Amino acid sequence: MSSSLSSLQFKFLHLSPNLASPHFQPPLPPHQPIDFGRRTKLELRASSSSSSSSASKPPPQRPKKRRSASDADRGIDPTGFLTKLGISHKGFAQFLRERHKALKDLKDEIFNRHLNLKEMASGFEILGMHRHVEHRVDYMEWAPGARYCALVGDFNGWSPTENCAREGHVGHDDYGYWFIILEDKLREGEKPDELYFQQYNYIDDYDKGDSGLTIEEIFRKANDEYWEPGEDRFVKNRYELPAKLYEQLFGPNGPQSIEELGEIPDAETRYRAFKEEHKDDPPGSRPPFDVIDNGKNYDIYNIAGDPVTYEKFKAKKPPIAYWLETRKGRKAWLKKYAPGIPHGSKYRVYFNTPSGPLERVPAWATYVQPDAEGKQAFAIHWEPPPECAYKWKNPSPKVPVSLRIYECHVGISGSEAKVSSFNEFTEKVLPHIKDAGYNAIQLIGVVEHKDYYTVGYRVTNFYAVSSRFGTPDDFKHLVDEAHGLGLLVFLDIVHSYSAADEMVGLSLFDGSNDCYFHTGKRGQHKYWGTRMFRYGDPDVLHFLLSNLNWWVVEYHVDGFHFHSLSSMMYTHNGFASFTGDFEEYCNQYVDRDALMYLILANEILHALHPNIVTIAEDATSYPGLCEPTSQGGLGFDYHVNLAVSEMWLSLLEKNPDQEWSMSKIVSTFIGNRHYADKMLIYAENHNQSISGGQSFAEILFGKISEHSSGSRDLLLRGCSLHKMIRLITFTLCGHAFLNFMGNEFGHPERVEFPMPSNNFSYSLAKRRWDLLGNGVYQNLFSFDKDMMKLDENERVISRGFPNIHHVNDSSMVISFIRGPLLFVFNFHPTASYERYVIGVEEAGEYQAILNTDEKDYGGQGLIEESQYLQRTISRRADGLRNCLEVPVPSRTAQVYKLKRILRI
């Protein structure tokens, strides 16, 4: 009886349409779902659905191939954004068409191994270490160059033979994937489970299987309740038919000799006689199938089912509820078994390769000690008990129309000379970010990396949070608390290259040089010594795309900042002179595979997680970064304007104040106005203070004292320019603004990570939060808070492109209108203007709502309160119908809001 239910259970699990889970369907013509090859082979050995019942099933019939709709019918135009922008470049247009065709071919190849793109990006569900419901842990790894694979760790005495799989044996498939089962250990005195496929619930102490009912009682109950009258006749009486046949042939009334037996009619004759004999039987006992003979010799009989019976069976829900009644709880599991690999166990993967044996940290490991006290790195099995596992409390906030991003590095976020932790950041820094008025944080250096001084940009373990900051659950707590404060959490993701470390990273992972990376010079970054991915390989794509999805699913991050795209998009890694000619974006140095990876990444992320935010950091301004993928673009939500921060740095370091060009400043901001609404902009980020340079505050203030007169002048200059640079950068262009941790209050020191050149000192690897309550730093922070409030109240950066109507290089004044706000900047180092004429369109009264020269902001307070309200003059200026005569002291900026419109 139990076999009947289990057999039907597996049939339904594989065939029932009622169990089909919703999948992301790619924006391509419908494809016949084909099982992921390696997954099929390995799961047949590993999962409960690989019982004899599934093995006996015939392969599913492939439906006829439907004719796919054309790209035009589905709104796809590979060169659409060129047409929209009026760009005509035949070479680049042809490149986009060829890339689109190559992408379609790549997706076809993907669908030959994966059911859909969602499965393609969900490799973390089966690869790496996972607890299985049948009292075991499954481990899967991709290492095509290996001949032998084993898990070694403190759980098995680091033995390379106890938990292993060999080439050509169970546990290894044709794609290079290895599969190892770590069975839980039966405790002394305990008997094996009565049911071979016994399942356990590892979360709850008790489950339905702990009710005391035996397996036979559960299946007897299922057979009694599940089958309708007549359906269970041969289930409950499986020997009825052979018994009758035996009685007819060999019973007391049957033939007693071969002669009496006579000639036995063929099967068809006997079947037709049987049908005739039972034609008047009730419907429930009639055979629901019929045999159709086409009348040809040696043909195969077709079995045609009764349509009513077929539909009835199809509509029947699977008996999963009965099957789940056998599942037991966590206490029953712990009583009977000891975990095969306990929580916190240290382990590595052992390979035997043509080059010899080697040990590696698993590529899909989620918790790693990359360099534990100078010893060899190892992974840590992270499977905390339910009472200790992190439980999420807060949903992700909605994505705001304007992003005010606070860029952070957890390790240097403390005020002490040490590596700070996730918990310290959560407790001390997150409240400051909320109080400062930002609505998103961007974390750098979170993904595991061996060398601390690399700031996290030489990633070794792509699925692990950095253990130097805390545990995976500590990071979950950080994200959850940030969400509770209304802050989005973005991750700086580095998929443009990887660390070259072998023992802890992916380089030479399986002993071969071409596992994850290109061979030869193509596989090495031109200047940084890092390894370059093979983006055209389906298994590498599987790893990288799954990695993006992993951070969203496991840690609830809200977006990604894709670091240094120029390193991956060009074989010269972006180290070439760019003139802006479109030929530079489609020549032989462009890595088309990398571009297709970025398109797939954006398509999959936005389809699986509609509220995700993707940001492109590209120094070459590649065309179409933020255009839809259906129109030939790469599909990013924002692109980073790197030119603005470089301009400010150049002006501060190389140009005297009186030689600053207002026209150059404005042109740098609006150089790519087509994507102004997709622009993320910043005055300075971590690069200025970490990459061997100085922060703007360090350049502006230097080592000065507030008490000497000369220092006070320098302090006033530095404070004024610091505020003006941040304000014009924040308001002139873009829908997103970024600030690096500490720069909002003019952090006076650069960042220097501990390394041999500074005797591994942590003295500059921290933040001076103690300065927030002192002098100029308090003034700068007050101004930055009010600048953030300006956007929160007036929606400044979410508005359209500004009307930049006044740019005067002689007076060094810039003015523009954005929405109802008028911005006026006077960068002149000495000249102040009492009644400076600025054009406006609307006649009325304008109120100053922000003034950088206020004493609370460290200014001189030269504008009196009575001058904050200005009335327009009916005189044309700057091409507009009216004008204002406003006071503009040197090195100050004011923001005016139209309070009342005057009708003339």
Side-chain angles (χ1 to χ4, degrees):
M1 277 182 280
S2 61
S3 63
S4 64
L5 179 65
S6 61
S7 175
L8 184 61
Q9 165 73 18
F10 294 127
K11 285 184 180 180
F12 270 112
L13 287 176
H14 287 279
L15 300 178
S16 174
N18 297 328
L19 292 180
S21 60
H23 289 289
F24 158 51
Q25 296 302 326
L28 282 176
H31 285 261
Q32 162 63 17
I34 300 175
D35 286 341
F36 179 18
R38 59 175 173 268
R39 186 175 178 182
T40 301
K41 292 182 179 181
L42 297 176
E43 285 195 339
L44 284 174
R45 308 167 193 139
S47 68
S48 60
S49 59
S50 61
S51 67
S52 58
S53 60
S54 62
S56 63
K57 288 188 309 176
Q61 294 296 317
R62 187 186 183 98
K64 292 182 180 179
K65 196 171 183 179
R66 296 181 179 179
R67 185 177 178 182
S68 62
S70 66
D71 287 341
D73 293 339
R74 291 180 287 122
I76 296 177
D77 182 0
T79 61
F81 81 90
L82 294 181
T83 305
K84 183 184 78 170
L85 300 178
I87 299 172
S88 58
H89 189 282
K90 292 183 179 180
F92 189 67
Q94 181 61 26
F95 174 80
L96 293 181
R97 294 188 189 97
E98 292 174 356
R99 189 185 73 190
H100 176 67
K101 183 179 182 302
L103 182 61
K104 291 174 68 175
D105 294 338
L106 176 61
K107 288 182 178 179
D108 286 338
E109 184 178 358
I110 290 173
F111 295 139
N112 284 333
R113 294 172 59 181
H114 300 266
L115 185 64
N116 49 41
L117 291 181
K118 178 182 179 181
E119 185 185 84
M120 172 71 167
S122 301
F124 54 84
E125 294 180 351
I126 56 172
L127 281 119
M129 196 83 74
H130 296 279
R131 174 148 291 283
H132 194 278
V133 293
E134 294 170 9
H135 53 83
R136 70 174 198 245
V137 170
D138 296 344
Y139 173 78
M140 190 184 295
E141 191 69 75
W142 182 59
R147 295 177 177 174
Y148 176 92
C149 177
L151 279 176
V152 297
D154 53 11
F155 64 95
N156 63 6
W158 302 94
S159 169
T161 58
E162 185 169 335
N163 304 104
C164 63
R166 289 180 295 166
E167 188 176 25
H169 291 70
V170 172
H172 181 238
D173 70 1
D174 298 336
Y175 293 99
Y177 284 80
W178 298 88
F179 184 76
I180 297 173
I181 294 177
L182 303 173
E183 295 280 0
D184 291 340
K185 299 172 184 177
L186 196 66
R187 296 187 186 273
E188 186 176 354
E190 293 291 334
K191 296 180 181 179
D193 287 310
E194 183 182 357
L195 183 63
Y196 181 73
F197 294 113
Q198 177 65 59
Q199 295 186 358
Y200 287 91
N201 175 354
Y202 303 107
I203 304 299
D204 302 316
D205 287 343
Y206 299 99
D207 210 323
K208 294 181 179 179
D210 298 307
S211 62
L213 291 177
T214 65
I215 301 300
E216 288 297 324
E217 288 173 329
I218 292 174
F219 283 117
R220 189 180 302 117
K221 173 187 174 184
N223 288 330
D224 290 342
E225 296 178 358
Y226 187 75
W227 301 106
E228 296 181 14
E231 290 181 341
D232 59 346
R233 176 178 175 187
F234 293 108
V235 174
K236 292 186 174 181
N237 304 284
R238 63 187 66 191
Y239 300 115
E240 177 183 344
L241 183 59
K244 286 188 176 181
L245 289 174
Y246 186 89
E247 183 180 354
Q248 288 179 6
L249 294 175
F250 307 108
N253 299 322
Q256 301 299 312
S257 63
I258 297 295
E259 291 75 12
E260 292 182 14
L261 179 62
E263 184 178 353
I264 300 178
D266 62 274
E268 181 182 359
T269 302
R270 286 187 282 115
Y271 175 74
R272 295 189 185 280
F274 175 80
K275 288 277 288 186
E276 180 64 26
E277 180 182 353
H278 294 278
K279 64 181 179 180
D280 297 325
D281 287 0
S285 59
R286 282 193 219 145
F289 302 97
D290 204 351
V291 180
I292 300 175
D293 181 9
N294 294 325
K296 299 177 181 179
N297 293 330
Y298 311 111
D299 67 343
I300 299 175
Y301 290 109
N302 296 317
I303 306 298
D306 173 27
V308 175
T309 305
Y310 176 76
E311 291 299 328
K312 187 177 180 181
F313 179 81
K314 186 178 177 181
K316 203 173 187 67
K317 292 184 179 180
I320 293 179
Y322 300 105
W323 182 258
L324 294 181
E325 286 193 25
T326 66
R327 187 172 61 185
K328 297 182 180 180
R330 180 177 177 82
K331 285 197 171 182
W333 169 62
L334 289 175
K335 179 178 180 296
K336 186 178 285 287
Y337 294 99
I341 175 169
H343 168 63
S345 298
K346 304 172 184 177
Y347 70 96
R348 290 190 289 269
V349 59
Y350 174 96
F351 295 124
N352 194 353
T353 72
S355 304
L358 52 85
E359 291 184 11
R360 294 284 186 260
V361 172
W364 299 74
T366 59
Y367 191 29
V368 175
Q369 288 284 353
D371 191 10
E373 300 176 356
K375 299 179 182 178
Q376 187 174 349
F378 51 80
I380 299 175
H381 180 53
W382 190 254
E383 189 187 357
E387 61 272 15
C388 299
Y390 190 79
K391 297 175 178 60
W392 293 91
K393 299 176 293 185
N394 302 303
S396 296
K398 293 182 178 179
V399 179
V401 291
S402 61
L403 288 174
R404 304 185 296 273
I405 304 173
Y406 195 89
E407 188 182 35
C408 325
H409 186 285
V410 172
I412 65 171
S413 64
S415 55
E416 299 179 35
K418 65 170 188 175
V419 178
S420 294
S421 67
F422 288 132
N423 289 334
E424 290 170 329
F425 182 91
T426 302
E427 179 184 352
K428 299 177 181 178
V429 183
L430 282 183
H432 166 77
I433 298 172
K434 177 65 176 177
D435 179 59
Y438 292 83
N439 56 20
I441 61 173
Q442 180 172 300
L443 296 167
I444 60 177
V446 166
V447 187
E448 188 62 88
H449 49 288
K450 178 183 176 183
D451 299 316
Y452 186 47
Y453 68 85
T454 64
V455 197
Y457 286 118
R458 295 188 181 183
V459 175
T460 52
N461 310 96
F462 286 79
Y463 285 80
V465 297
S466 182
S467 57
R468 57 175 57 87
F469 306 141
T471 68
D473 283 1
D474 292 339
F475 182 59
K476 290 179 181 179
H477 177 58
L478 186 158
V479 175
D480 201 14
E481 289 300 311
H483 287 166
L485 293 172
L487 300 172
L488 297 174
V489 179
F490 299 153
L491 202 62
D492 200 322
I493 198 78
V494 186
H495 281 186
S496 45
Y497 50 81
S498 176
D501 298 81
E502 296 176 14
M503 299 303 293
V504 64
L506 297 177
S507 186
L508 301 178
F509 181 70
D510 61 353
S512 64
N513 197 31
D514 60 349
C515 183
Y516 285 94
F517 309 108
H518 289 288
T519 57
K521 291 184 178 179
R522 179 81 181 275
Q524 304 284 339
H525 193 284
K526 194 173 182 180
Y527 293 100
W528 298 342
T530 49
R531 299 301 309 272
M532 307 306 297
F533 285 106
R534 289 193 301 146
Y535 299 102
D537 186 282
D539 294 295
V540 176
L541 287 178
H542 185 47
F543 177 83
L544 294 175
L545 293 172
S546 296
N547 184 238
L548 295 174
N549 195 21
W550 158 261
W551 289 103
V552 182
V553 172
E554 182 69 14
Y555 292 107
H556 296 193
V557 302
D558 304 293
F560 297 100
H561 179 113
F562 284 75
H563 171 74
S564 188
L565 294 187
S566 54
S567 294
M568 63 187 290
M569 293 194 301
Y570 308 96
T571 56
H572 52 58
N573 306 128
F575 287 87
S577 298
F578 280 83
T579 63
D581 189 342
F582 274 85
E583 186 65 29
E584 297 167 341
Y585 303 120
C586 58
N587 58 23
Q588 70 271 25
Y589 300 110
V590 176
D591 190 337
R592 190 174 66 180
D593 292 336
L595 295 174
M596 292 192 293
Y597 160 70
L598 294 175
I599 293 172
L600 282 175
N602 277 297
E603 284 187 354
I604 291 174
L605 283 174
H606 287 95
L608 296 180
H609 313 286
N611 294 322
I612 202 77
V613 175
T614 58
I615 303 168
E617 180 190 298
D618 171 35
T620 68
S621 299
Y622 191 85
L625 275 175
C626 296
E627 293 289 346
T629 58
S630 62
Q631 301 302 303
L634 300 186
F636 286 96
D637 297 304
Y638 293 92
H639 72 95
V640 180
N641 186 328
L642 300 171
V644 170
S645 62
E646 293 172 358
M647 174 200 68
W648 289 127
L649 185 62
S650 175
L651 290 175
L652 290 173
E653 290 185 335
K654 301 177 182 178
N655 298 75
D657 294 359
Q658 65 272 15
E659 295 180 9
W660 286 17
S661 169
M662 302 298 103
S663 300
K664 179 182 177 181
I665 290 174
V666 171
S667 64
T668 304
F669 274 95
I670 65 173
N672 196 359
R673 65 180 301 164
H674 292 300
Y675 301 117
D677 60 332
K678 301 285 188 179
M679 186 186 298
L680 183 150
I681 203 163
Y682 55 83
E684 56 177 331
N685 72 342
H686 68 275
N687 287 328
Q688 278 70 30
S689 54
I690 287 181
S691 303
Q694 297 176 304
S695 69
F696 287 0
E698 194 171 6
I699 296 172
L700 288 167
F701 301 140
K703 296 186 180 298
I704 57 178
S705 169
E706 296 185 38
H707 304 292
S708 65
S709 59
S711 293
R712 282 198 295 271
D713 292 339
L714 289 175
L715 196 64
L716 179 61
R717 169 188 176 267
C719 186
S720 300
L721 287 179
H722 192 276
K723 290 177 290 186
M724 292 182 69
I725 288 172
R726 290 178 67 82
L727 180 61
I728 194 172
T729 305
F730 183 63
T731 58
L732 181 55
C733 213
H735 280 196
F737 174 79
L738 181 140
N739 166 73
F740 180 61
M741 178 174 58
N743 289 344
E744 71 277 10
F745 63 87
H747 198 280
E749 297 173 351
R750 67 186 184 279
V751 177
E752 191 175 278
F753 282 81
M755 58 184 76
S757 61
N758 61 14
N759 293 321
F760 298 98
S761 170
Y762 285 84
S763 61
L764 294 176
K766 57 186 177 63
R767 297 281 85 180
R768 295 285 307 277
W769 300 113
D770 58 296
L771 298 175
L772 274 172
N774 299 331
V776 66
Y777 306 108
Q778 184 180 22
N779 299 146
L780 292 177
F781 181 55
S782 297
F783 173 77
D784 196 79
K785 285 179 65 175
D786 287 348
M787 189 172 72
M788 296 300 114
K789 288 179 182 177
L790 177 69
D791 177 63
E792 188 174 346
N793 297 332
E794 304 296 339
R795 300 184 296 111
V796 179
I797 64 176
S798 62
R799 297 183 183 274
F801 197 79
N803 176 14
I804 307 172
H805 63 291
H806 186 99
V807 180
N808 192 317
D809 286 319
S810 299
S811 62
M812 299 185 70
V813 173
I814 298 172
S815 180
F816 57 89
I817 299 171
R818 197 167 185 182
L821 303 180
L822 171 69
F823 297 84
V824 182
F825 294 83
N826 178 12
F827 281 94
H828 203 288
T830 57
S832 297
Y833 309 102
E834 278 292 325
R835 302 174 68 85
Y836 195 88
V837 178
I838 296 291
V840 292
E841 186 64 28
E842 293 285 351
E845 293 181 346
Y846 287 76
Q847 175 76 39
I849 59 175
L850 187 65
N851 174 22
T852 63
D853 193 44
E854 287 186 11
K855 291 184 178 181
D856 289 344
Y857 303 150
Q860 301 178 81
L862 298 177
I863 300 178
E864 298 179 4
E865 188 174 347
S866 61
Q867 296 176 295
Y868 272 41
L869 185 65
Q870 297 288 333
R871 185 184 291 264
T872 57
I873 300 171
S874 181
R875 186 174 75 225
R876 293 190 67 85
D878 301 325
L880 303 177
R881 293 182 297 176
N882 301 282
C883 69
L884 291 171
E885 293 182 349
V886 294
V888 191
S890 65
R891 290 200 186 110
T892 67
Q894 293 79 37
V895 182
Y896 293 90
K897 181 180 180 181
L898 178 61
K899 300 294 289 185
R900 187 164 68 94
I901 298 176
L902 298 180
R903 301 299 179 187
I904 300 176

